[in-house]
Amino acid sequence: MALWFILGFLSGSVMYAHLLGKIARVDLRTIGDGNPGAFNLWQAAGYRFGLLAVVLDFMKGFVPVAVCLQTGVIHPDDPVLIPIAAAPVLGHLFSPFLRFRGGKGIAVTFGVWSALTAFEVTLVYAVILAVLLVIGRALNGWRPVSSEADSFQVVLGMFAVSVWLHQRSYPAAIFWGWCANIALMIWAHRTGLRVFLKKWI
C-alpha cells in the first residue's frame, strides 16, 4: 500500500498551474497571494490556461484513487483508503518540486471525492459552495468577496459535507478520509481563515 500512497502523492505534487504559467510566461509568485494554483493562473494568463490547470489538478486527484478502487486495491470500507485518498491532496499542498510549497488543494479535493463517491459528494460540495458564494456576495452588497472570505467558504463548505456523509451512511473509512481532507484544507487556508476570523469574530 505504501507504493500506492507514494504514487498518489507524486501525482498530486505535479504543479500543473506552475508549469503552465511558465508556458504562458507569467510568474504566479507575483499574482494575488502568490499561490501556485489554478485560480492565480486564471487571473494571470486567462481562462484557457486556468481551466486547463483546473482539469489537470482535478485529474491528478481522481486518477490514482479511482485506479485503486476500480482494481480492488482498496475498498470504500478499507482503512487503507484514508492515506491513499489523502495522498494527492498532501502532494499538492507540499510539492517536493516547489520546495514543499503548493496550492490550496480545491480542485484536487474535487477529484479525490469524485473517485471516492462516484461524483456524488463532488456535486454536493459544488452546490454548497455555490450557495455560500451567493450568500457571501449578498452580504457584501453583491460585490466580490475577499480571498479570506473565499477561504472561509471553502472550509465551511467541506464541514457541511460531513453532514451529507453521515446522512448517506458512508463507511467509516470514508468519514476518516474526510477528516484527513478537512485537516489539510484548514492548513492550506490557515492564513485566510485567521484574517477572516479576526475580522468577524
Side-chain angles (χ1 to χ4, degrees):
M1 294 305 171
L3 174 61
W4 288 102
F5 175 85
I6 293 170
L7 291 175
F9 180 87
L10 291 176
S11 174
S13 68
V14 180
M15 303 303 293
Y16 292 106
H18 178 73
L19 297 174
L20 290 170
K22 288 183 175 293
I23 295 173
R25 297 182 180 179
V26 296
D27 186 355
L28 296 183
R29 294 173 297 180
T30 66
I31 307 298
D33 59 1
N35 172 42
F39 181 72
N40 271 358
L41 180 64
W42 195 306
Q43 287 186 313
Y47 76 91
R48 290 184 178 86
F49 280 100
L51 185 59
L52 179 57
V54 168
V55 171
L56 291 172
D57 280 354
F58 175 92
M59 293 304 295
K60 73 184 186 181
F62 178 83
V63 171
V65 177
V67 168
C68 285
L69 287 169
Q70 293 300 317
T71 58
V73 173
I74 57 173
H75 302 279
D77 58 351
D78 189 344
V80 176
L81 174 145
I82 301 166
I84 289 179
V89 182
L90 194 64
H92 183 79
L93 268 57
F94 304 100
S95 174
F97 303 113
L98 291 180
R99 298 181 180 179
F100 295 97
R101 292 180 62 249
K104 297 295 180 65
I106 300 172
V108 67
T109 289
F110 271 100
V112 167
W113 284 97
S114 293
L116 287 177
T117 64
F119 293 91
E120 180 181 319
V121 167
T122 303
L123 178 59
V124 171
Y125 188 32
V127 170
I128 292 171
L129 290 182
V131 171
L132 291 175
L133 176 62
V134 171
I135 293 173
R137 290 207 171 190
L139 294 175
N140 198 41
W142 299 107
R143 297 184 301 272
V145 298
S146 66
S147 61
E148 292 80 16
D150 283 336
S151 291
F152 179 76
Q153 290 172 2
V154 165
V155 174
L156 179 62
M158 182 54 76
F159 270 111
V161 164
S162 67
V163 178
W164 182 268
L165 295 176
H166 176 72
Q167 291 298 319
R168 295 283 288 165
S169 299
Y170 274 98
I174 295 286
F175 178 77
W176 285 110
W178 171 87
C179 290
N181 203 159
I182 190 67
L184 290 171
M185 293 190 77
I186 290 172
W187 171 263
H189 294 270
R190 65 193 182 284
T191 301
L193 289 173
R194 189 182 303 119
V195 172
F196 181 86
L197 293 175
K198 281 185 178 180
K199 182 178 179 180
W200 294 102
I201 297 179

